[in-house]
Amino acid sequence: MAQLTTAYRVSGLRTRPGLVERIDLPKRVVFLAAASMIAIVVLLLAFIAWQGIQLFVKDGVSIGQVLSPNWDPLADGGPQFGILPFIAGTIAVTAVALLISTPLSVGLALFLSEVAPQWARAIVQPALEIFVGIPSVVWGWLGITILVPFLASTFGGQVSLSLPVVGQVFSMPGFLTGFSWLAGSLVLSIMVLPTITSVSYDAFRAVPQELRTGSLALGTTRWQTIRHLLIPSALSGVLTAIVLGMTRAAGEALAVQMVIGNSPTLPAAITQPVTTLTSQITLDMGNTVFGEPWQDALWTMSLVLLIISITSVVLVRVINKRRMGS
Amino acid sequence: MTTANPAVGRPGSPAPSLRRKASRGTILADRAATVVLWGTGVLVLAILGAIILHFAIAAWGVVSPSFVLDDPSDTVLGGIMPVLWNSLYILVLTMLIAVPVGILGGIYMSEYAGDNAVTSAIRFAEESISSVPSIVVGLFGLILFVDDFHWGFSALAGSLALTFFNLPLMTRLAEQALRAVPQEERNASLALGATKWQTIRHVVLPLAIPGLTTGVILTAGRVFGEAAVLLFTSGLGTPPHYDFTNLDLTNPASPWSPFRPATTLSVYIYKLNSEGLGAFKNQIVDGSAAILISMVLLFNLGARLIGRVLTRRLTAA
């Protein structure tokens, strides 16, 4: 009670707030700084959307033509702006990258959170931070100087697998130059590894320790605890990690462009060159003139990329909301 | 064999028969899993070690004082001085804008933001910008700064686009650093009659300095290596010889001017690779990549070291 009265008296000593305090300038300034990000997103959406629809509005290209698989801006019978090869390429390259990266990253996250002793964690975690910091052009250059020649020299001819009883399982043409769908996916899988690892690591750490001890006390092994307890309870976090990795993979431009071969056709085989939205934009933007239909098609492709990334942000929110709800 | 009968298991000890049944397959699976999980950790370290070793070998004989200090050349190995200068220039220009705005935004998110629609809109914006592909941010810079503002390819356009791209990261790291300051410190200050802003200014910010420093360095590391944002904003021409005595900021020929095209080290690597000309292309790219990687290592180690030193000094005082 005594404290209450003292507090009351002290508050009585305070003068009534003056104009300066009522305006609270610092609060307004820091609010503006934070809210500037909303302004950036709105501007970005507005500009890219406006440029992205020019292909339909100004150049009169129909949606059907844009969603066709024929891309040839310099064709004799009039330019063709089918962006399907790029969308399919982005999906294909991203999907294979995630197939390679997810087991590795989730395994690494489990290693760091469940298995690794303190000293091992103290080595691997900084190593991952360095992975994040390696610029994408360096990854691309590593791809060109190491991965691409390796693929071309090792799997250059017909790639086939034959088993003694079953016979030939599959056979496909090998890497001609090494610049290929697989090369792009492999480079991406390493680039998204830190993203998926760190987000799933957080998800595993968030599982209460009592659940682990409870499970182990029932006589389960560590692996049983991981499989039947940790992975199910952290599933939404791991899904978030995969979506974030997917976003990063789909949006990566330079490293992919450097190793993928850039052939604007629908992806056919993992050993063949393909192309993606980002790599075609990177390649063609400098060769086109502002306002010409070819460049407008590139802006439409950027709009598609923007829609993909905003969708994934919403997706992550939905996944997380479900976790909160359950 | 007195322990063979599970019914007589002493109270408190696990029933032996149950343990037996669970064994073999499960224990083997557990061992295998442990080996595999260790394997992932070893693999990541091995990849990183191999990369660093690769560049150490590739850069041997390329990276030298003259490589760092000379102008690029078509006939001899030459150097990368102008592009390295541009990288540092754009880094400083970007951080000059991104750090104050990011820290102020972090203050709002950590100290003022309530649980309301505005806060959630800011968070949504933060996440959105982080997930937008860097090449799209570059295109946004191209249309806004380069075309609409008529700045042309310029260091300023590149820096602003980079600021846009990295502001969410800086804001989030600043917010985390500020949130890590214990609530008691704020309460104590407020109880002494300090206003909210005085508390933030004189209590929370000083205590958050180690975290803020780490945040700044980590952001700087990302800004330094970024290329896709800069490709279409600060340009990708080979820079001319820089005359550092030209201090006229409005003159595009001056290396100090923000209104000149500024190819950075990362962009230069990309450009050399895509043009694919020159007898020394591979050496130059290897050398440049080695320098980029060393800078990344330096930024990471620096962030850790400075953060640790500052924490010790500030908490000991």
Side-chain angles (χ1 to χ4, degrees):
Chain A
M1 263 323 194
Q3 284 159 331
L4 223 172
T5 31
T6 318
Y8 179 76
R9 233 184 272 141
V10 169
S11 74
L13 287 173
R14 275 206 189 146
T15 49
R16 285 182 55 213
L19 190 64
V20 178
E21 278 127 78
R22 263 185 287 145
I23 291 178
D24 199 358
L25 194 63
K27 183 179 174 179
R28 277 157 204 258
V29 171
V30 293
F31 173 73
L32 278 183
S36 68
M37 289 188 290
I38 300 183
I40 293 174
V41 168
V42 171
L43 270 177
L44 194 115
L45 277 171
F47 272 86
I48 302 286
W50 174 251
Q51 287 297 325
I53 59 168
Q54 293 305 315
L55 185 65
F56 308 109
V57 178
K58 184 165 65 69
D59 308 320
V61 179
S62 73
I63 301 226
Q65 282 170 287
V66 170
L67 290 178
S68 85
N70 304 315
W71 170 265
D72 193 353
L74 300 171
D76 292 333
Q80 292 184 303
F81 296 116
I83 63 169
L84 202 61
F86 310 112
I87 298 179
T90 295
I91 293 173
V93 174
T94 305
V96 173
L98 288 178
L99 277 180
I100 303 167
S101 194
T102 304
L104 194 62
S105 313
V106 174
L108 190 60
L110 281 171
F111 171 71
L112 286 171
S113 94
E114 308 302 318
V115 180
Q118 186 60 42
W119 61 266
R121 210 179 305 155
I123 302 175
V124 176
Q125 261 170 346
L128 275 177
E129 278 168 29
I130 294 171
F131 260 81
V132 183
I134 295 181
S136 70
V137 282
V138 174
W139 286 120
W141 180 245
L142 279 168
I144 289 179
T145 48
I146 298 174
L147 181 64
V148 166
F150 169 78
L151 290 176
S153 63
T154 316
F155 306 106
Q158 194 77 5
V159 181
S160 59
L161 180 68
S162 300
L163 292 177
V165 186
V166 193
Q168 196 172 59
V169 181
F170 72 89
S171 171
M172 61 177 170
F175 299 90
L176 208 61
T177 54
F179 292 96
S180 56
W181 173 358
L182 184 64
S185 293
L186 279 172
V187 168
L188 277 181
S189 67
I190 293 201
M191 293 182 70
V192 300
L193 180 120
T195 310
I196 305 183
T197 304
S198 67
V199 180
S200 5
Y201 172 77
D202 291 342
F204 290 131
R205 286 321 297 169
V207 176
Q209 190 60 38
E210 293 85 57
L211 289 182
R212 288 190 189 83
T213 41
S215 164
L216 292 170
L218 289 173
T220 62
T221 63
R222 182 162 63 196
W223 176 238
Q224 284 175 316
T225 306
I226 290 175
R227 253 195 68 194
H228 300 291
L229 180 86
L230 274 168
I231 292 183
S233 6
L235 195 63
S236 63
V238 174
L239 279 179
T240 305
I242 296 173
V243 174
L244 289 175
M246 184 198 82
T247 319
R248 194 162 172 219
E252 176 49 49
L254 304 187
V256 176
Q257 191 272 323
M258 287 161 90
V259 298
I260 205 166
N262 304 297
S263 143
T265 49
L266 287 173
I270 203 154
T271 53
Q272 300 308 308
V274 286
T275 184
T276 64
L277 289 164
T278 51
S279 48
Q280 198 65 29
I281 295 172
T282 316
L283 268 183
D284 284 0
M285 208 61 183
N287 305 329
T288 52
V289 183
F290 189 75
E292 74 169 312
W294 186 353
Q295 193 176 76
D296 288 338
L298 299 178
W299 287 106
T300 305
M301 283 151 65
S302 332
L303 182 59
V304 173
L305 278 172
L306 197 59
I307 293 170
I308 293 176
S309 59
I310 302 279
T311 311
S312 73
V313 173
V314 175
L315 196 62
V316 166
R317 293 215 147 192
V318 171
I319 295 173
N320 283 327
K321 204 157 269 174
R322 240 199 230 149
R323 175 165 54 180
M324 300 299 175
S326 68
Chain B
M1 288 309 210
T2 45
T3 53
N5 185 354
V8 274
R10 267 162 285 145
S13 68
S17 74
L18 285 177
R19 292 225 77 158
R20 280 276 160 75
K21 238 177 222 162
S23 67
R24 270 290 140 89
T26 23
I27 288 176
L28 225 71
D30 185 55
R31 295 261 161 83
T34 307
V35 171
V36 169
L37 293 182
W38 270 95
T40 59
V42 173
L43 180 70
V44 164
L45 285 181
I47 294 176
L48 185 64
I51 289 172
I52 293 176
L53 195 71
H54 169 81
F55 278 114
I57 295 170
W60 192 260
V62 176
V63 177
S64 64
S66 71
F67 182 71
V68 176
L69 296 174
D70 283 0
D71 283 337
S73 162
D74 289 332
T75 48
V76 292
L77 179 59
I80 53 163
M81 194 276 288
V83 287
L84 197 55
W85 163 256
N86 286 334
S87 281
L88 294 172
Y89 186 92
I90 285 192
L91 173 68
V92 171
L93 200 56
T94 306
M95 297 310 273
L96 274 179
I97 315 166
V99 169
V101 180
I103 291 182
L104 289 176
I107 292 177
Y108 180 80
M109 296 308 279
S110 145
E111 308 297 318
Y112 289 99
D115 189 12
N116 55 34
V118 179
T119 308
S120 107
I122 295 176
R123 289 231 183 275
F124 188 77
E126 198 176 81
E127 288 161 24
S128 302
I129 306 173
S130 305
S131 71
V132 169
S134 50
I135 186 84
V136 174
V137 177
L139 292 179
F140 172 58
L142 169 70
I143 190 134
L144 185 64
F145 304 125
V146 178
D147 287 344
D148 285 358
F149 289 3
H150 300 292
W151 290 350
F153 291 126
S154 60
L156 187 62
S159 296
L160 281 175
L162 268 180
T163 304
F164 283 7
F165 190 51
N166 287 291
L167 196 56
L169 180 71
M170 189 64 238
T171 309
R172 197 169 56 243
L173 293 174
E175 184 191 341
Q176 283 169 5
L178 292 162
R179 274 190 195 277
V181 174
Q183 191 58 40
E184 293 86 53
E185 305 280 355
R186 293 185 184 84
N187 292 347
S189 167
L190 290 170
L192 288 172
T195 63
K196 184 159 181 128
W197 181 247
Q198 285 171 328
T199 304
I200 294 170
R201 167 79 184 71
H202 297 285
V203 176
V204 181
L205 272 180
L207 283 170
I209 281 179
L212 291 174
T213 312
T214 313
V216 168
I217 299 177
L218 289 178
T219 310
R222 208 169 85 155
V223 169
F224 194 80
E226 181 56 52
V229 170
L230 295 175
L231 221 49
F232 302 120
T233 49
S234 64
L236 39 53
T238 304
H241 175 73
Y242 283 155
D243 175 15
F244 286 95
T245 56
N246 185 348
L247 293 175
D248 181 8
L249 290 189
T250 54
N251 183 351
S254 163
W256 303 93
S257 164
F259 296 103
R260 67 193 163 86
T263 306
T264 64
L265 190 55
S266 309
V267 175
Y268 190 57
I269 292 180
Y270 179 76
K271 168 197 157 71
L272 282 180
N273 176 65
S274 57
E275 290 177 354
L277 303 169
F280 295 96
K281 180 193 116 188
N282 284 16
Q283 282 103 309
I284 298 174
V285 175
D286 276 334
S288 307
I291 288 180
L292 265 181
I293 295 224
S294 328
M295 295 298 267
V296 167
L297 285 171
L298 216 69
F299 279 124
N300 266 283
L301 290 177
R304 273 164 195 283
L305 214 73
I306 294 177
R308 206 173 292 165
V309 169
L310 283 175
T311 313
R312 201 182 304 147
R313 197 166 284 177
L314 287 172
T315 46

